[in-house]
Amino acid sequence: MRYAALTAVMRRTQPGDADQAAGPPPGTGAPSAGPHGTAGPAGALVPALPPSVAVHWAARRLHLITWGDAPVPAGLPVGVRQHTAPAAMSWVATICLMAQLELQHQPHAARIALDSLADAARELSKAPPGAPFRWVREARREAPAGRRPVHRAFDQMALGSFNEKLVIESVRVNRSLSRVEIAERTGLTPQAVSRITRNLLTTGFLLEEGRRTTGKGKPRIPLMLRPDAACAIGIHVDPEKITLVLVDLCGSVRARRSLDITERSDPHSCLEWMKTATAQTIDTAGPIGAKLLGVGIAAPGPLDVHAGVLLDPPLWAGWGEVPLRTELSRMLNLPVLLEKDATAATIGEQWLGAGESATDFVYLYLGAGAGSGAFLNGDVYRGASGNAGEFGELTAYALKRVTPDGGPEMVPECAPMSAVVARALAAGLPLPDGAARYDAVCRAAAQGDARAVGAIRDVAGIVARGAVAMTDLYDTDLMIVGGPAVPPQVAELYLSEISAAVNRFPMARRVRTVRVTYSTLSASAAAVGAAAGVFHTTLAPRLRTHSGAPAPARPATTAGAPRRPLTTTPFTTVFHPTPTRETTR
């Protein structure tokens, strides 16, 4: 998803089919289809790199790529390795291919760099004709400056389960770590790390990669999570569709099922479908199905998360109060967790997506409605009742759309998909009947139709004002945008409007730059996030739960339940104080 969104951004720098258009970047002096036409005549001299760039990269291994017969820039440091790409392969396609490779091998570091690259592409689209496209990557780092580290180990009191989870968290965040690196990141002693990792290897929670040479001394053996060590089911209950996914411990979706919601859909029939689909998914999952930790449900608010009840959702006329969590737990005989959809998406991004394991960020979820979630101080923030993040009211007050008595009005643009369709129709864009209208608008916008682009930008601009209020409220410097309303081909339209607003209007804009990035999970964020919520509640290292955290419904019996690889029961943190130091059980 991130690669597709970046490709859409980069193609704006080179009109036409970027996979077929040939030539080097605009402004390099060779024939090029830049954003403003041909940058210069064939054979023109290529400008020398700025001295600051040459100095910055003088001690690095620098690779230079040119296209076709393009001349080599002057002022390059000594020892540069040169590569010539075929003239038939555009520079945009080459950069996007490099980005895809890096996203695969270094996802956390790559996301930050690629956001910077996308920002540079946006600026190029505003530049005068013939302007060169120059971008220097910052030094690689695993997280933006200012991020707080993960929980540190406890040295005075032995909390075996906490430290066990701490090791899992460190490996998850970094994808793979050696025992020495785990000790450095957690503060655990090497002896404690050795005991904990031995236990996790024995139970099949971790696995060893090939040996890694780091210089003198014994080669280090990286450890990584075993994907099939555990799984969870996530269910997104949406006014248009119910989506069910089976997710393994490393975030891969192993199975997916969906049910379209119609006017005749009632709570009982939907619960029966969830029961049947869950049972079929577990049966067909193979051995990993026996390692199910639980089921997470994501649903639009308002909710009573303590009672597990869906409270007369506004887009479901006649549903009333639905005891979703209790009923599904009884039907499945499994522990079930109920979360607000935007909250679930926030957890999913932190665990499996673009959250980059940041301790503070906000998530803007755009679908049939607009919602938000916040990950603060290392944990998701749910609020006293589990309904934190109501986005529509923030937008109404930001735009001064209030009722005569001072209350917030309903903002149509906070239902982005229907608002975009309405604006596109008003602009004269012909659209098919039925549920595919929004997809048709997105396709037209990706092809450059001004009516579709204008409709999306107008709605994104309204949503952006609510995002400003959310940025001021939480004072965070990372905002993730995703949801069904933000497919990759139009993500740039939303992100550019929101990024401009949250860095222009907030009170603290002089001391805080907000990075707006695209969701990795996007359309699947709520469903995958509901499953990630099971992992987070079960495995996240924390001493206490935020107030307002939902208590999961438990099945009436646990007979036949699979053996858990950790010293925890689903959704419960269990501590085992002992007289010895950092002991695991």
Side-chain angles (χ1 to χ4, degrees):
M1 299 295 289
R2 293 296 299 273
Y3 166 70
L6 177 69
T7 302
V9 175
M10 294 301 298
R11 282 183 173 176
R12 295 182 59 189
T13 67
Q14 193 172 40
D17 188 350
D19 291 328
Q20 296 178 4
T28 56
S32 171
H36 308 287
T38 302
L45 293 177
V46 179
L49 292 180
S52 60
V53 175
V55 171
H56 179 79
W57 292 101
R60 309 292 184 96
R61 293 180 58 190
L62 187 64
H63 294 256
L64 171 70
I65 302 176
T66 57
W67 284 263
D69 298 328
V72 176
L76 292 175
V78 178
V80 173
R81 183 175 179 182
Q82 298 183 23
H83 310 269
T84 301
M89 184 174 185
S90 73
W91 66 277
V92 168
T94 306
I95 290 174
C96 290
L97 176 61
M98 293 165 63
Q100 185 182 35
L101 291 171
E102 186 169 11
L103 277 168
Q104 177 182 356
H105 296 290
Q106 302 182 85
H108 290 166
R111 288 167 186 147
I112 299 170
L114 298 185
D115 286 339
S116 172
L117 177 61
D119 288 340
R122 294 185 189 115
E123 292 302 316
L124 180 65
S125 66
K126 305 173 187 176
F133 185 13
R134 288 183 176 140
W135 171 72
V136 178
R137 179 190 177 123
E138 295 182 4
R140 295 182 181 180
R141 56 181 185 265
E142 295 179 354
R147 300 290 181 212
R148 286 184 289 278
V150 296
H151 299 283
R152 301 292 290 178
F154 284 77
D155 292 330
Q156 302 303 320
M157 181 185 294
L159 299 177
S161 179
F162 180 91
N163 288 340
E164 198 172 43
K165 294 177 180 181
L166 190 60
V167 170
I168 293 172
E169 172 78 353
S170 299
V171 174
R172 179 188 69 81
V173 168
N174 296 278
R175 299 179 69 88
S176 70
L177 287 176
S178 68
R179 292 169 177 82
V180 172
E181 292 167 329
I182 292 172
E184 291 172 349
R185 284 165 170 76
T186 62
L188 287 165
T189 65
Q191 294 81 3
V193 170
S194 179
R195 288 193 297 269
I196 293 171
T197 55
R198 183 168 57 248
N199 179 47
L200 294 175
L201 285 166
T202 300
T203 57
F205 222 82
L206 296 180
L207 58 85
E208 294 182 338
E209 291 187 289
R211 292 178 180 269
R212 186 172 63 202
T213 302
T214 57
K216 296 181 180 179
K218 183 179 179 181
R220 296 179 179 179
I221 303 176
L223 303 175
M224 62 182 296
L225 291 181
R226 183 185 292 274
D228 58 359
C231 69
I233 284 179
I235 302 175
H236 180 204
V237 181
D238 183 77
E240 295 183 357
K241 179 183 292 186
I242 298 178
T243 305
L244 181 148
V245 294
L246 177 73
V247 181
D248 66 26
L249 189 60
C250 291
S252 297
V253 176
R254 298 292 189 97
R256 184 189 305 269
R257 299 173 188 266
S258 63
L259 172 70
D260 291 330
I261 299 296
T262 66
E263 294 181 356
R264 293 179 294 180
S265 300
D266 61 89
H268 177 73
S269 63
C270 290
L271 281 166
E272 286 292 337
W273 180 87
M274 294 181 214
K275 173 186 175 181
T276 303
T278 299
Q280 292 175 347
T281 300
I282 295 173
D283 289 342
T284 58
I288 194 174
K291 302 174 183 178
L292 184 71
L293 293 179
V295 177
I297 304 177
L303 306 173
D304 183 344
V305 294
H306 299 291
V309 176
L310 191 61
L311 298 174
D312 198 12
L315 297 178
W316 274 304
W319 270 42
E321 296 185 1
V322 183
L324 198 57
R325 188 183 68 201
T326 304
E327 282 299 306
L328 192 59
S329 179
R330 178 187 60 80
M331 296 168 73
L332 294 175
N333 193 31
L334 289 169
V336 175
L337 180 71
L338 177 63
E339 295 276 16
K340 193 175 176 182
D341 51 7
T343 301
T346 303
I347 298 173
E349 287 294 342
Q350 201 277 339
W351 268 73
L352 309 170
E356 298 145 7
S357 300
T359 56
D360 297 279
F361 69 90
V362 291
Y363 184 91
L364 181 54
Y365 182 82
L366 304 178
S372 68
F375 207 88
L376 305 175
N377 200 27
D379 202 357
V380 66
Y381 182 76
R382 297 181 173 91
S385 66
N387 287 286
E390 282 298 329
F391 185 79
E393 294 184 358
L394 284 177
T395 308
Y397 284 123
L399 296 171
K400 299 181 180 179
R401 295 187 184 179
V402 296
T403 61
D405 60 355
E409 288 184 347
M410 294 292 292
V411 179
E413 290 81 5
C414 285
M417 298 173 80
S418 59
V420 166
V421 169
R423 286 177 180 258
L425 288 171
L429 182 68
L431 296 174
D433 294 329
R437 283 186 162 189
Y438 185 75
D439 293 338
V441 176
C442 291
R443 286 195 299 271
Q447 295 168 2
D449 190 293
R451 296 164 294 184
V453 170
I456 294 176
R457 283 200 179 277
D458 288 346
V459 171
I462 300 297
V463 170
R465 297 306 298 271
V468 171
M470 188 167 62
T471 302
D472 271 338
L473 179 66
Y474 293 120
D475 189 28
T476 61
D477 58 3
L478 175 62
M479 177 178 289
I480 301 171
V481 180
V486 195
Q489 65 266 34
V490 299
E492 167 60 14
L493 300 176
Y494 283 97
L495 266 63
S496 60
E497 292 291 330
I498 294 171
S499 180
V502 298
N503 286 295
R504 175 185 176 188
F505 297 115
M507 297 292 291
R509 60 185 178 275
R510 293 180 60 188
V511 295
R512 178 192 63 219
T513 299
V514 181
R515 185 163 63 92
V516 179
T517 188
Y518 184 51
S519 164
T520 304
L521 306 177
S522 195
S524 302
V528 176
V534 174
F535 296 137
H536 178 72
T537 311
T538 308
L539 302 175
R542 50 186 176 179
L543 289 178
R544 63 181 179 85
T545 304
H546 275 298
S547 61
R554 298 212 178 253
T557 176
T558 57
R563 178 180 178 272
R564 308 296 173 188
L566 296 178
T567 57
T568 60
T569 55
F571 311 142
T572 304
T573 301
V574 180
F575 300 113
H576 302 288
T578 69
T580 57
R581 189 168 180 259
E582 292 161 334
T583 305
T584 61
R585 196 181 78 178

